Structures are given as C-alpha cells and as structure tokens.
Amino acid sequence: RAKEQGKNNYQFFAPVLSSDWVQWLTLENDLRKALERKEFKIYYQPQISIRTGRVIGLEALIRWHHPEKGLISPAQFIPLAEETGLIVPIGEWVLWEACRQNREWQDAGYAKMRIAVNTSARQFQQGNLAQTVQNVLRETGLDPRWLELELTESAAMHQAENVIDILQQIKKLGVSISIDDFGTGYSSLNYLKRFPVDFLKIDQTFVHDINQDSDDAVIVNAMIAVAHSLNLKVVAEGVETQEQLDFLKQRRCDVVQGYFFSKPVPGEEIESMLKSMKSKKGTHV
Ligand code: C2E
Ligand code: MG
Ligand code: MG
Ligand code: MG
C-alpha cells in the first residue's frame, strides 16, 4: 500500500514502536485542530518561463507551524492527512487561500500569474471537487485562467475514469491542469492522452543528475518529446544549477522551477518580488 502510494507516504510511520504510535496519534489529534487554530501557512515558489525568463506562475506549498514541534514539512503530514481524510478540508483551505491571495495581488496591480495548487487523490474521491473549485473561484473572484490544479501521476491513475470525469468538469471552468511528479508513477501514454491536462511536471529526481547521468538525460528528453507531441507544456521541477537550466533550455523545456531561482517563500516575500518586477516592468527574478 505504502509502496503503491509513493515514497513520501504512510510507510514513514509504518515500522512503528509503540512510542511512535503515541506520537503518531498525537500528531493526528493536532492535525485535526490545526485548521481552526490557523497553524497552516502557504509558501509560494516561482515558476519561470524559459522563453521569456519571466515569472509566470507560483506553486502554493503548505507549511504547518506546530505550536510545540515547530515547522513540519508537508512530506511529514500530508500522508497522515490523506490517511485520515483530513486532506479534504485542508486541501479546500489551501485552494481558497491561494486563490484569495492571487486575487489580492492582482487587485494591487502586480503582474498577473497563475497560482498552482496541489491536490490529493482523496479530493477526487470525496466530496465534489469541481463544485468546490467553482465555489472558491466565485467567492474569491479569481478569473479561472489564473488557477492551475496539480495532481500527481499516481493520483491521476488511481480510479482514473473518475479522475478524468472530474478533471473534465474542472477544465470546463477554464482552470489549467498539470500532472505532478511525472515519471515516478506508471501511467501509460495511452491513458495520458485521455487526461485533459495542460502541463507535465517532470519530477525532480530526473532533473537532479541530468548533466551526469546519461539515462536521466535520455528519459527527460523522451518526456519532453512525448509531452510536446501531445501538445502539453513541460515544467521541470527541482532545477538547482545553471547546467541543469542550460540542458533544459536546449531541449525546449517550457517552464522551470527550483532553488536555482527561488525556494518556496512566504507571501510577503513574493509581494516584494512582485513589487520590484512592477518597477522594473517585468524583468527577471
Ligand atoms: P511537489 O508538489 O512535487 O512540490 C515540490 C517540492 O519540491 C516542494 O517540497 C519544494 O519545496 C521542493 N523543491 C522545489 N524546488 C526544489 C529544488 O530545487 N531542490 C529540491 N531538493 N527541492 C525542491 P515541499 O514544499 O516540502 O512539498 C513536498 C510535497 O508535499 C509536494 O511535492 C506535494 O506533493 C506535497 N504538498 C505540498 N503542499 C501541498 C498541498 O497543499 N496539498 C497537497 N495535497 N500536497 C501538498
Ligand atoms: Mg506540486
Ligand atoms: Mg512534484
Ligand atoms: Mg513531489
């Protein structure tokens, strides 16, 4: 089960001693209260168009400021949130807050960019995701074209027919869709064609050794070619060096994201970036 759901998952908690169990149950309890106690915060990571060198998007990444444990990374609590179903209200909050924030920046007159929000498989199985997205867009007043939903390749392939159905409804609203962590799952190209998606995000594990490992280089090349032949744009995750960027540029990758440009940062820092872009009339980060 854990294996099927990917490496950052429940298996983290699996080989437990009893004290770990207590810790885990405590964490679950805390997680239940975290939303109402306003302990979550969204960090944003810029996405840069290779062609223009400009920031065209921001990925919303959740952080949990635990009152005693400090900052807890999503890799540690998202799996727990998924297991317990808490990801449904948490995911809705992220969606709402990211859209609200983006609209606020647009109202302030900054360069418009898409906000990318991560979703979990559970959100496609439970509740009515398309309706939720529609409500959030209406309530926040964000134009759908400035919202993008990310779902991982594994989540997309889990009850794929149901996912395709919901994605089609969301797509009709005018929202963009991307497949996250591409290459780590097991989607067949045939299936991929049936998903109404706009972007493939190449997982950072492939990007990491792109300049050293010829297998990774070949794989990334192939992924870009497949994506383009299906009319999808390609986002490379985890770009940390100039050499990686050069490789991706040469292979006609469309968008890059990674520490080379910026780590995920709080909204206040994004606002400073937007301000300086405004005064420099939209130059690079
Ligand atoms: P992801 O969606 O694939 O996000 C990319 C992760 O890579 C982020 O980790 C980001 O901080 C990290 N990253 C970005 N650039 C670099 C780089 O150059 N080098 C390295 N080593 N890492 C880089 P983060 O923020 O810890 O999030 C981990 C995962 O947690 C995300 O992976 C996503 O699957 C999940 N997640 C985060 N926020 C949410 C959320 O609101 N909802 C859901 N369902 N999942 C979320
Ligand atoms: Mg993502
Ligand atoms: Mg990813
Ligand atoms: Mg990931």
Side-chain angles (χ1 to χ4, degrees), residues 180-181 201 203 237:
D180 202 354
D181 301 353
K201 297 190 73 175
D203 191 69
E237 302 190 293

Side-chain angles (χ1 to χ4, degrees), residues 37-183:
R37 293 184 178 170
K38 301 191 191 315
E39 291 167 3
F40 294 120
K41 196 171 156 82
I42 301 182
Y43 278 41
Y44 300 88
Q45 187 177 37
Q47 301 179 320
I48 291 91
S49 157
I50 287 195
R51 196 177 56 82
T52 64
R54 290 185 184 170
V55 181
I56 53 158
L58 299 167
E59 179 173 2
L61 294 155
I62 194 171
R63 299 289 180 263
W64 181 12
H65 287 275
H66 190 283
E68 289 113 39
K69 297 189 170 72
L71 200 70
I72 304 184
S73 86
Q76 282 167 283
F77 71 88
I78 292 289
L80 180 59
E82 286 173 341
E83 284 293 321
T84 54
L86 287 165
I87 192 63
V88 176
I90 293 173
E92 191 170 330
W93 176 80
V94 175
L95 181 67
W96 206 92
E97 178 54 22
C99 289
R100 186 205 63 74
Q101 178 66 87
N102 200 21
R103 174 65 205 249
E104 189 182 293
W105 284 329
Q106 296 192 348
D107 286 346
Y110 299 129
K112 291 186 177 178
M113 40 194 72
R114 235 184 349 253
I115 194 97
V117 175
N118 290 284
T119 58
S120 290
R122 274 271 189 144
Q123 293 173 271
F124 285 81
Q125 292 151 20
Q126 224 168 294
N128 188 338
L129 186 58
Q131 188 64 55
T132 301
V133 171
Q134 189 171 16
N135 293 346
V136 168
L137 288 169
R138 199 189 51 236
E139 285 165 25
T140 59
L142 183 71
D143 186 322
R145 80 169 97 160
W146 303 113
L147 175 64
E148 173 183 332
L149 290 192
E150 296 190 2
L151 81 162
T152 63
E153 185 184 22
S154 326
M157 293 304 142
H158 186 73
Q159 300 177 354
E161 295 301 333
N162 178 52
V163 172
I164 290 172
D165 182 49
I166 295 170
L167 286 181
Q168 274 162 352
Q169 297 173 40
I170 292 173
K171 190 82 195 125
K172 268 196 205 125
L173 299 172
V175 173
S176 306
I177 315 278
S178 57
I179 300 288
D180 202 354
D181 301 353
F182 187 73

